[in-house]
Amino acid sequence: MQPLPRDPWPTHLPPSFFTALAAGSASDAGAHDAAAASPPSDALLRLLHALPDGVLSLDADLRCRHANPAAQPLLRPHLAWDQIDGLSWHEAVDDDWIDTLLPWMAPALRGEGGRIAVQRDREGSITHWELTLLPDHGDAGVAGVFVLLRDETALQRRQAALQDQQHDLQQRLQRQDAHLALQQARWQALSDGLRDAAIFFLDAHGAIQDWPASAERLLGYAAEAVIGTHGPDTPQRPHPLPADAAQALERASLLGQSESTGWQRRADGSRLWAHMVYTTLTGPDGEALGTACLVRDMTEIHRLEELLRDLNQALERKVEERTRQLQAANQDLEAFSYSVSHDLRAPLRHITAYVQLLREDLGQPLTPDVAEDLHTIEEAAAHMGRLIEGLLAFARLGRAEVQRQPVDMLDLLRSSLNRVQHDPALRRAEGECELHLPDALPTVEGDPLLLSQVWDNLLGNAFKYSRPRRPAIIAIGAERRPGPDGTPEAVFWVRDNGVGFDAERAERLFGVFQRLHRAQDFEGTGIGLALCRRIVERHGGRIWADGRAGEGATFAFALPLQRPTAPPAHGPERVPDAPAADTPPAA
């Protein structure tokens, strides 16, 4: 049997309370000294009934002497606590409790108390109880037994909840310990693994608090020599913190972070170009905890920057020298243009004039051979004049400033087409040429005088090289689309069904004096497409051609457009054109 504690249960009631209760509540039928017994006082009964724990008093014959309301769970369901006086405990006490108390009753009547912990399951609900048996020691021995009942359910539940909380807290602490250990290992690996950088920490007063191996390796100072120090006493004294550390820490405290760059001394006296980053560390309530200092060795980068600066200066000197050379070349070109326009034209005028004098001196009629020779001389001089004019135009174009303004390309196309169609050399009889013109063309930024020359040359070539066709078909079109670098551009093209050209020799078309057809078949100087290329490139665009010998040709040029504020919802804008004007060839 489990022994009773030193102080009887409950601790707030003395043993004399139960002695007085037994003396006053002995059953008339069960006690031989019942006549001598005096009833308990009213105060004693009120105290008994007010107890939160149940009390059942039994005499030596195990007959009920008294019970309080808290003892009701011990009794049978049909009995109330105030109806059991004089009943045998087998009649009053519930069978389950009798089975629990029976092994302890005999020792209790011999004077041995005990305490029992009981767990019951009533309709799925677990309850916990504590039973205490106290012998009633009288003058002649044990006069009865007190059965004390306490409901421990709430206490057990609180203890279980507390254990769960403790278990959960312990698991959380274990996880936090593991997380901290992992973070510590990561930090240690990161700090120790730095090679051209180091990190260390200052306390809230600016003194070095933590000096990892990376800091010792980069700067050369031992941890015991620098921990607790604030900075150099004099600018010449070696110290891990630079001379401007105090100002940098003040900026970091105000802004959260600050940086400084400059030469810093190592412990051995050598220097490195260091980039320092100071980051203020704060607690959850905003209190200052210290500063994290990251220092990076930027010596090689600093040397490369100095080398790059020297190279830039040398490059600037070369650019200035090349600029002077270019200015000198431009001056030479100006002199050449002047010479061409004055010195070369004068002999041509003399040749033409003397051919006319020679024709007059020979009189009429001229023999066919003489007339043909004179005509050849005149044509050669005229062709030379046209070459000189084209060369001068090409040279002037390189020096002329582009006067940019919004250009309506459709109006420019119509004006150029009118000029070409009235050229006697290009005029076609009615019905010999089919023109397919667009309803609209994109507006671009450019010089209308220069761009009109592009249309003149492209349309003139289309009319010229489609002369053998009956009918000649010429189509013009355009579209907006992204350029090679993604910026929007307008692409214009002119397509004909003329004699075409060999596609492998297309790039030669845009060279000065470059021609792919014989002069006796098609007139020209070979400068027109070169002019087109220079004009388009000076506008920031590009020009190209596609064709096949005997199957016609397509010439296209692209000019940049100003990027729109918002892209159209339907994608790239296509300018409407005639059915014959398909998309231009790829550049």
Side-chain angles (χ1 to χ4, degrees):
M1 177 177 293
Q2 181 179 356
L4 285 171
R6 173 174 295 180
D7 295 326
W9 183 97
T11 57
H12 57 280
L13 295 178
S16 59
F17 168 79
F18 298 99
T19 302
L21 179 64
S25 61
S27 172
D28 293 339
H32 62 276
D33 57 350
S38 61
S41 65
D42 292 340
L44 185 62
L45 288 177
R46 287 195 300 271
L47 177 60
L48 177 67
H49 294 168
L51 289 176
D53 302 315
V55 178
L56 174 63
S57 176
L58 303 176
D59 62 13
D61 296 326
L62 299 182
R63 301 184 70 85
C64 297
R65 293 186 297 194
H66 197 78
N68 67 348
Q72 185 65 44
L74 289 171
L75 307 180
R76 295 180 182 274
H78 66 279
L79 293 176
W81 61 274
D82 55 355
Q83 297 174 347
I84 65 171
D85 292 354
L87 295 180
S88 169
W89 80 305
H90 287 89
E91 297 173 338
V93 179
D94 188 78
D95 291 339
D96 291 340
W97 290 111
I98 290 177
D99 293 340
T100 302
L101 293 172
L102 189 60
W104 303 85
M105 198 58 70
L109 292 174
R110 292 196 298 269
E112 301 178 10
R115 182 172 295 173
I116 312 166
V118 181
Q119 178 177 312
R120 293 190 177 278
D121 186 356
R122 294 290 180 88
E123 299 179 356
S125 177
I126 303 297
T127 57
H128 299 270
W129 304 87
E130 184 179 84
L131 290 170
T132 302
L133 279 72
L134 293 176
D136 180 12
H137 294 281
D139 295 337
V142 177
V145 178
F146 293 105
V147 179
L148 310 180
L149 176 68
R150 173 174 289 176
D151 188 354
E152 297 283 332
T153 302
L155 178 61
Q156 291 290 337
R157 290 176 179 172
R158 287 195 297 271
Q159 291 178 348
L162 181 60
Q163 289 178 355
D164 292 341
Q165 292 177 357
Q166 291 177 344
H167 179 68
D168 181 64
L169 180 60
Q170 185 176 7
Q171 288 185 335
R172 290 172 58 186
L173 289 176
Q174 290 176 351
R175 289 195 297 268
Q176 289 182 357
D177 290 343
H179 180 70
L180 289 176
L182 178 61
Q183 294 295 334
Q184 179 67 23
R186 288 175 176 174
W187 153 246
Q188 194 68 33
L190 175 63
S191 176
D192 293 344
L194 294 175
R195 287 296 177 265
D196 295 330
I199 189 170
F200 57 93
F201 295 91
L202 311 180
D203 60 18
H205 304 289
I208 296 178
Q209 186 180 38
D210 186 16
W211 190 255
S214 60
E216 184 172 348
R217 180 171 54 252
L218 180 65
L219 300 175
Y221 298 90
E224 57 272 12
V226 298
I227 289 181
T229 61
H230 288 75
D233 298 333
T234 61
Q236 300 302 323
R237 181 179 177 183
H239 193 271
L241 291 176
D244 63 346
Q247 294 83 351
L249 290 174
E250 185 176 355
R251 291 195 303 270
S253 64
L254 295 175
L255 304 176
Q257 190 178 79
S258 67
E259 301 182 21
S260 67
T261 305
W263 290 107
Q264 188 170 347
R265 290 180 178 271
R266 291 189 177 94
D268 58 2
S270 61
R271 297 195 310 167
L272 74 156
W273 185 262
H275 176 226
M276 295 281 295
V277 179
Y278 303 85
T279 303
T280 301
L281 305 177
T282 57
D285 297 330
E287 69 277 12
L289 302 180
T291 306
C293 301
L294 174 65
V295 53
R296 291 185 295 173
D297 185 359
M298 308 288 287
T299 306
E300 291 299 323
I301 296 178
H302 182 63
R303 290 173 181 169
L304 290 176
E305 289 176 347
E306 290 182 340
L307 178 60
L308 181 60
R309 191 180 304 111
D310 295 340
L311 291 176
N312 287 335
Q313 292 176 355
L315 181 61
E316 289 177 358
R317 290 192 294 268
K318 289 184 179 180
V319 168
E320 292 176 357
E321 181 180 355
R322 293 293 186 270
T323 302
R324 289 192 296 270
Q325 294 176 355
L326 181 59
Q327 291 174 349
N330 287 335
Q331 292 174 358
D332 294 340
L333 182 59
E334 291 286 347
F336 170 74
S337 299
Y338 180 82
S339 176
V340 167
S341 60
H342 292 79
D343 299 341
L344 294 183
R345 285 179 177 178
L348 287 178
R349 287 194 296 268
H350 291 167
I351 293 174
T352 304
Y354 276 99
V355 167
Q356 185 64 28
L357 291 175
L358 184 59
R359 180 178 282 109
E360 294 176 357
D361 291 341
L362 292 175
Q364 294 295 337
L366 298 176
T367 63
D369 293 338
V370 172
E372 183 179 356
D373 292 340
L374 293 177
H375 179 71
T376 301
I377 295 172
E378 288 178 334
E379 285 295 326
H383 182 68
M384 185 63 184
R386 289 192 295 270
L387 290 177
I388 292 174
E389 289 294 337
L391 189 60
L392 287 174
F394 190 78
R396 286 195 297 267
L397 180 62
R399 303 190 305 273
E401 183 179 356
V402 177
Q403 303 294 331
R404 293 183 178 271
Q405 63 185 63
V407 178
D408 188 338
M409 293 294 275
L410 186 59
D411 288 345
L412 212 63
L413 169 65
R414 289 170 179 168
S415 299
S416 180
L417 187 61
N418 183 62
R419 288 191 297 272
V420 171
Q421 288 178 322
H422 286 82
D423 187 342
L426 301 175
R427 184 177 301 169
R428 306 295 293 271
E430 186 176 355
E432 291 184 355
C433 183
E434 295 182 8
L435 284 176
H436 298 277
L437 302 178
D439 296 331
L441 287 177
T443 298
V444 299
E445 291 283 335
D447 190 322
L449 295 177
L450 296 179
L451 292 177
S452 64
Q453 295 183 47
V454 176
W455 283 117
D456 288 349
N457 282 285
L458 295 185
L459 291 173
N461 284 347
F463 276 88
K464 182 197 305 183
Y465 292 104
S466 63
R467 186 184 299 148
R469 301 291 183 254
R470 297 291 186 275
I473 300 175
I474 299 174
I476 298 97
E479 72 170 357
R480 291 185 176 93
R481 68 186 186 188
D485 58 352
T487 58
E489 64 180 12
V491 180
F492 306 89
W493 68 90
V494 178
R495 179 178 291 115
D496 64 70
N497 64 339
V499 297
F501 57 86
D502 185 359
E504 296 181 355
R505 303 169 67 190
E507 189 62 25
R508 291 182 54 190
L509 290 170
F510 300 99
V512 180
F513 302 135
Q514 295 292 325
R515 303 195 58 185
L516 302 185
H517 300 89
R518 296 184 306 173
Q520 55 268 33
D521 295 333
F522 298 97
E523 69 280 2
T525 62
I527 295 181
L529 290 179
L531 283 172
C532 291
R533 182 174 192 171
R534 175 161 289 192
I535 291 171
V536 171
E537 289 179 349
R538 292 203 64 190
H539 282 77
R542 53 202 173 91
I543 188 170
W544 65 96
D546 185 30
R548 291 177 180 272
E551 298 182 10
T554 300
F555 287 84
F557 64 97
L559 297 176
L561 290 171
Q562 192 174 17
R563 184 181 293 274
T565 55
H570 56 276
E573 179 181 353
R574 174 65 186 272
V575 178
D577 50 23
D582 299 328
T583 56

